[in-house]
Amino acid sequence: MPHRAISIDVSCGSRERQRFTAPFNYDRIVYDMIAEQLAGSVVPDRLYVIGAGMLGRELVSTGPGKMFRSTVVVTRNPKNLRKRLGSRSKIGVDMMRPGEIGCKPEPHSAVVIATADVNAEYQAVLQDALLRLAPRIVIDLSSIPVLQEAAVARLNYVTMYDQKFLQRIAENNKYLMSKLPQLQSDIQTRLLAGGIP
């Protein structure tokens, strides 16, 4: 086996042994931020997850949705999502098209935007729908923030680039930095034992 492949195997093993993983993943960060916003309010209404990709499906199946009365996956193609979910289609969520959001304000709901597939037309539809919905918080996990500045001023809108989010990433990094010397030592010891300088 080439040295590079051995090094990767050793590093992955060391990472597991030293538990070199961030204490918070995106699901946990989203859950904590929503919980902070809803603390002390009436019973949470609905969680809207915009996007039916891997990240959206992961959010639906983990923590955040459990604190809400119901969960809605917002997708432009509900039929396709049901097909992709297959036997998991009975996961206890409703499906909705983007234009159907916001029939009335839901001030005790939360929205997570978990899609990167947003063109100008879709952006306008989402923005109008979210302004009508007026949820307690909108958390945007898109690499390019979806909402425009005019809409942001009227919503509690948090992106991955805002201080609220970056603070949690900084906490992750601080934790990982404290464990880095142990990880490096473990990797070096294992490589030397395998005859790799």
Side-chain angles (χ1 to χ4, degrees):
M1 186 184 281
H3 283 181
R4 184 168 184 262
I6 293 170
S7 298
I8 291 171
D9 286 347
V10 166
S11 298
C12 289
S14 293
R15 185 177 173 212
E16 274 187 45
R17 278 190 300 281
Q18 298 301 323
R19 295 191 174 109
F20 191 76
T21 53
F24 307 124
N25 58 18
Y26 279 134
D27 297 354
R28 175 66 189 276
I29 292 172
V30 166
Y31 177 84
D32 287 350
M33 292 177 81
I34 288 173
E36 284 172 14
Q37 287 298 313
L38 293 169
S41 72
V42 298
V43 177
D45 195 356
R46 290 200 274 191
L47 172 67
Y48 290 86
V49 177
I50 298 174
M54 189 168 66
L55 179 56
R57 293 196 305 270
E58 184 69 23
L59 282 164
V60 164
S61 64
T62 56
K66 294 173 185 168
M67 59 193 297
F68 288 87
R69 176 176 61 81
S70 64
T71 300
V72 178
V73 176
V74 178
T75 174
R76 286 169 282 185
N77 195 335
K79 187 177 178 182
N80 187 40
L81 175 59
R82 285 190 191 94
K83 196 181 295 182
R84 278 193 290 167
L85 289 172
S87 61
R88 296 179 299 154
S89 60
K90 295 178 181 175
I91 54 175
V93 301
D94 298 319
M95 294 182 200
M96 191 178 280
R97 294 180 187 278
E100 297 169 346
I101 308 173
C103 294
K104 61 177 184 176
E106 293 183 26
H108 302 292
S109 290
V111 175
V112 180
I113 301 174
T115 181
D117 184 18
V118 179
N119 58 24
E121 182 185 353
Y122 189 33
Q123 181 187 41
V125 169
L126 283 178
Q127 191 163 291
D128 289 346
L130 293 176
L131 287 170
R132 291 193 307 270
L133 187 70
R136 178 62 62 98
I137 186 170
V138 178
I139 301 175
D140 190 347
L141 301 178
S142 306
S143 52
I144 299 172
V146 170
L147 300 188
Q148 295 177 348
E149 202 169 323
V152 171
R154 295 167 59 188
L155 292 168
N156 181 8
Y157 179 62
V158 180
T159 76
M160 292 193 298
Y161 308 104
D162 290 328
Q163 193 56 41
K164 290 179 186 177
F165 211 99
L166 293 175
Q167 183 179 343
R168 286 165 169 83
I169 301 298
E171 288 170 20
N172 275 343
N173 291 341
K174 187 176 179 182
Y175 171 82
L176 292 174
M177 286 301 291
S178 72
K179 301 201 81 170
L180 193 57
Q182 293 169 263
L183 178 72
Q184 290 171 329
S185 175
D186 189 72
I187 291 171
Q188 189 173 20
T189 301
R190 304 275 169 174
L191 290 175
L192 289 172
I196 302 172

